[in-house]
Amino acid sequence: MQTITTIGLDIAKSVFQVHGIDAGGQVVIRRQLKRRHVLTFFEKLPPCLVGIEACASSHHWSRELQALGHTVRLMPPAYVKPYVKRQKNDMADGRSHLRSGHPSQHAVCADQDA
């Protein structure tokens, strides 16, 4: 398997959408994860950049993923929306988080309070 360098993570109530690419921009992984399997999935990955749309629970997930060694970028919803190509659904949101998570894009500071 190629090394995943960047992940777009769409967080939801119970099912999360994961999109991962390698250094060349090729899609390496595209799958759904149930909430209880998210941390187990990220524990197995080498540290990478994770893009998440900023919302109430994104700060919690940001802290959890940073504790595992990943770099997390929270993007304001207004900056993610232009990257959604078609209808708004979890898979499209995951892809757009991946695109908007580029280091040149503006990110929100993650809450550091526990």
Side-chain angles (χ1 to χ4, degrees):
M1 182 167 108
Q2 298 103 343
T3 303
I4 299 172
T5 59
T6 309
I7 290 183
L9 178 65
D10 182 57
I11 56 179
K13 193 177 217 177
S14 58
V15 178
F16 292 23
Q17 188 71 35
V18 176
H19 283 266
I21 59 172
D22 61 12
Q26 297 299 317
V27 175
V28 177
I29 189 164
R30 183 182 305 150
R31 65 184 284 195
Q32 289 183 345
L33 292 174
K34 295 208 186 259
R35 177 179 287 269
R36 66 180 176 268
H37 299 298
V38 172
L39 290 179
T40 306
F41 172 78
F42 279 97
E43 284 173 352
K44 296 175 184 175
L45 292 179
C48 60
L49 175 66
V50 181
I52 305 174
E53 184 175 352
C55 66
S57 63
S58 65
H59 294 279
H60 164 74
W61 287 105
S62 172
R63 287 189 300 269
E64 294 291 330
L65 295 176
Q66 287 174 354
L68 296 174
H70 299 285
T71 303
V72 180
R73 295 182 54 87
L74 301 179
M75 282 79 59
Y79 288 7
V80 174
K81 187 171 175 66
Y83 292 94
V84 177
K85 287 186 173 180
R86 294 187 192 114
Q87 68 268 34
K88 181 165 173 39
N89 57 42
D90 289 341
M91 188 185 310
D93 284 350
R95 254 192 328 266
S96 64
H97 299 163
L98 181 64
R99 291 188 191 104
S100 62
H102 190 272
S104 67
Q105 296 295 326
H106 177 75
V108 175
C109 293
D111 245 351
Q112 296 302 319
D113 299 335

